[in-house]
Amino acid sequence: MGAEDNNQDRKAGAAARGTAVSLFKPGHPRINLPIALDQRTGREISISPAVFASPNPSKVWESIGEIHVDAARLVRNGLFLKPEHHQITRYFDMLRTRIAQAMTKEGMSRLAITSPRAGCGKSYVAANLALSLGRLPSCRTVLMDLDLRHPRLASLFAQTPSPQLLEFLQGEQPLEGQFRRIGPNLALALNSEPVARPAETLQDPQTTAALQSASDLLQPDIQLFDTPPALEYDDMIALSGQVDAVLLVDGTRTTAADITACERMFEGRVPLLAVVLNRAQDRGLLAGQGLADRLFGGAISRWFGRG
């Protein structure tokens, strides 16, 4: 069954659920107030929607179902919930701190994570960076899989099948029906199904409204978006207006020309916040890993070795 068939089935299912109502549904609320008359003057009383309080972010986070992940299975997938699971976590913690400090300084909150080409480990970096941020008790973090062509985060987090993200992006799925929590302050929006027209979907006004709704309701400190390779598709350009900065993951097959091409692509569109050099050689990601990151002109190099 192709992506088009899956989309048709999804739309049919959405129509059948058309009567469902969510307190935290994405999009702009439509408030239709009944006409009220002043009993003394007989004039219509106008009530502004502003008098209604916005949803409490803490209550919205509580509405998101919490998943209990198998730590050992995550380790096999190269993801680490706690520092004691692998020494590699301390380097992600260092990257986390520099990313958070740089974004706070510049007033940023939305970070797209991409790579020049496929096979650089961008999803692995996005997932471990999110887990590292999730260990900060004062930092609410959202991780969304916006690689609509080849979604991988659901598999890495061992959460397959997962709700189809397209339904949330098109306003057919409420926020609490799509997002899942790991702990109190890390929310995941995963996806198991590729989307037929990913670049067009990312440019759709409904997608813009859904992403803004998630930001407004959850009010996260940092949002991470896993996106497709920048030089292979136009998805990253389509999404550039929705993010504040880009984290570029450089892999073993990346050339200097690829990095330069990405820098030129992002120039004038979105700041390139950092370049992460990922030298993973094996599927398990536990041997021979390297990381070098550049943040706003500063340079730091770290090497991940076997513990």
Side-chain angles (χ1 to χ4, degrees):
M1 180 179 292
E4 293 285 355
D5 294 331
N6 288 336
N7 287 344
Q8 292 178 359
D9 292 342
R10 175 186 53 73
K11 290 180 180 179
R17 301 193 300 271
T19 57
V21 177
S22 168
L23 179 60
F24 306 121
K25 188 177 178 68
H28 300 288
R30 297 177 180 177
I31 301 177
N32 297 317
L33 300 175
I35 296 176
L37 300 179
D38 187 304
Q39 294 183 1
R40 183 176 61 84
T41 64
R43 294 179 179 178
E44 181 179 335
I45 301 174
S46 177
I47 303 177
S48 171
V51 302
F52 294 91
S54 299
N56 184 337
S58 297
K59 296 298 183 183
V60 180
W61 279 82
E62 290 174 3
S63 75
I64 301 174
E66 184 172 4
I67 56 175
H68 300 281
V69 294
D70 183 343
R73 188 171 180 183
L74 291 194
V75 168
R76 291 194 295 271
N77 290 342
L79 305 189
F80 308 101
L81 280 171
K82 300 178 180 179
E84 56 265 29
H85 291 163
H86 199 275
Q87 65 172 2
I88 199 174
T89 57
R90 71 176 183 264
Y91 299 114
F92 278 106
D93 289 349
M94 295 170 68
L95 179 63
R96 160 195 78 186
T97 300
R98 300 194 65 179
I99 288 286
Q101 289 178 347
M103 294 186 70
T104 299
K105 179 181 178 181
E106 298 298 318
M108 299 174 174
S109 63
R110 294 182 173 188
L111 181 65
I113 300 175
T114 187
S115 59
R117 303 192 183 278
C120 294
K122 63 178 181 59
S123 298
Y124 157 77
V125 170
N128 275 297
L129 180 58
L131 289 171
S132 180
L133 286 164
R135 290 192 286 271
L136 295 176
S138 61
C139 181
R140 282 177 173 158
T141 302
V142 168
L143 173 62
M144 296 186 69
D145 195 341
L146 291 185
D147 188 342
L148 302 181
R149 298 175 185 271
H150 303 288
R152 290 216 46 224
L153 292 180
S155 176
L156 285 176
F157 280 98
Q159 296 297 315
T160 54
S162 64
Q164 296 184 37
L165 186 61
L166 183 60
E167 294 187 356
F168 172 77
L169 296 179
Q170 294 192 341
E172 299 170 0
Q173 178 73 271
L175 181 144
E176 66 271 27
Q178 177 68 52
F179 285 73
R180 298 292 182 268
R181 276 190 301 112
I182 294 181
N185 59 350
L186 173 57
L188 308 177
L190 306 178
N191 183 34
S192 297
E193 297 292 335
V195 175
R197 291 179 291 276
E200 291 83 354
T201 298
L202 293 175
Q203 297 178 75
D204 192 316
Q206 289 184 325
T207 295
T208 302
L211 295 178
Q212 187 59 52
S213 175
S215 296
D216 293 341
L217 293 171
L218 294 170
Q219 296 186 23
D221 298 285
I222 294 181
Q223 299 177 75
L224 305 178
F225 300 140
D226 185 13
T227 65
L231 298 182
E232 296 184 1
Y233 310 103
D234 64 334
D235 302 43
M236 186 60 237
I237 297 177
L239 192 62
S240 60
Q242 305 299 320
V243 300
D244 299 319
V246 175
L247 175 69
L248 186 66
V249 179
D250 174 11
T252 55
R253 289 173 285 182
T254 305
T255 66
D258 290 336
I259 300 296
T260 300
C262 288
E263 290 174 343
R264 290 174 178 170
M265 176 186 297
F266 301 143
E267 187 175 3
R269 290 190 174 94
V270 60
L272 178 57
L273 181 67
V275 176
V276 172
L277 185 62
N278 177 38
R279 296 305 187 191
Q281 300 296 327
D282 65 333
R283 178 69 175 83
L285 300 167
L286 294 178
Q289 302 197 35
L291 171 77
D293 66 281
R294 297 200 311 272
L295 300 178
F296 292 123
I300 182 171
S301 296
R302 300 291 181 222
W303 292 95
F304 296 157
R306 184 184 296 274

